[in-house]
Amino acid sequence: MSMQMTPRMLAIFSKSKIRQNAIKNGWRSGLEEAIASDLKAKRVHYEYEAHTLEYFVPSRTAKYTPDFYITTKSKKIIIIESKGRFLTAERQKMIRVKAQHPDLDIRFVFSRSATTISKKSKTTYGNWATKHGFPYADKLIPESWINE
């Protein structure tokens, strides 16, 4: 007996294949791989998970490794964090990192900024980023950021 794959099943299968391929190639997600590929095609200098930053969590010191450090055309450094899922603990971490490193320009690239932070909330990832002063984009890094 053969089973027909629904469009949803195909989408899930495709996403997992994209992620598996990305991981095989040294990335943590398909989104990170897509961003890197786009930057490479645009000949933008970047570093991937090359640095760690210390930040303090009540009662302990923790480390955060940003996804991308991008050098813009004016030689400004922008930190890009790519997010598909953006869990509560990660949101709290980013608020702490920003408060403890106010000199850094940290921005987000979401898979979909219109995703709500939980089933019970109307707040989207984009709303959250705006509220906390993080510039954000969907899917890829905007040319305007690179051209700064």
Side-chain angles (χ1 to χ4, degrees), residues 20-99:
Q20 287 172 5
N21 190 49
I23 289 169
K24 184 175 84 179
N25 291 322
W27 303 99
R28 294 180 189 262
S29 71
L31 179 59
E32 287 181 358
E33 185 175 40
I35 290 169
S37 177
D38 184 58
L39 289 170
K40 187 174 180 180
K42 292 174 181 169
R43 297 177 185 221
V44 175
H45 173 77
Y46 72 89
E47 296 175 277
Y48 174 74
E49 291 192 350
H51 309 276
T52 58
L53 302 171
E54 287 189 352
Y55 67 101
F56 300 98
V57 178
S59 77
R60 69 180 177 93
T61 299
K63 294 192 184 227
Y64 158 59
T65 303
D67 291 331
F68 295 91
Y69 277 75
I70 294 184
T71 304
T72 67
K73 288 188 176 179
S74 68
K75 305 297 182 210
K76 177 180 178 182
I77 302 295
I78 298 174
I79 294 172
I80 304 293
E81 188 62 33
S82 61
K83 290 291 177 196
R85 292 180 61 209
F86 197 24
L87 304 175
T88 302
E90 293 167 327
R91 293 191 305 270
Q92 291 170 344
K93 171 179 71 177
M94 294 312 301
I95 290 168
R96 285 187 185 106
V97 169
K98 183 178 176 104

Side-chain angles (χ1 to χ4, degrees), residues 4 15 30 41 50-51 78 102 118 121 123 128:
Q4 284 284 76
K15 286 180 184 175
H51 309 276
I78 298 174
S118 74
S121 177
T123 302
W128 178 92

Side-chain angles (χ1 to χ4, degrees), residues 31 34-35 38 42 80-84 107-115 124-127 135-143 145:
L31 179 59
I35 290 169
D38 184 58
K42 292 174 181 169
I80 304 293
E81 188 62 33
S82 61
K83 290 291 177 196
R107 303 179 188 193
F108 286 92
V109 174
F110 295 112
S111 291
R112 186 173 175 272
S113 63
T115 301
T124 65
Y125 293 168
N127 297 144
Y136 71 92
D138 280 318
K139 305 285 184 204
L140 296 173
I141 298 166
E143 286 285 332
W145 292 4

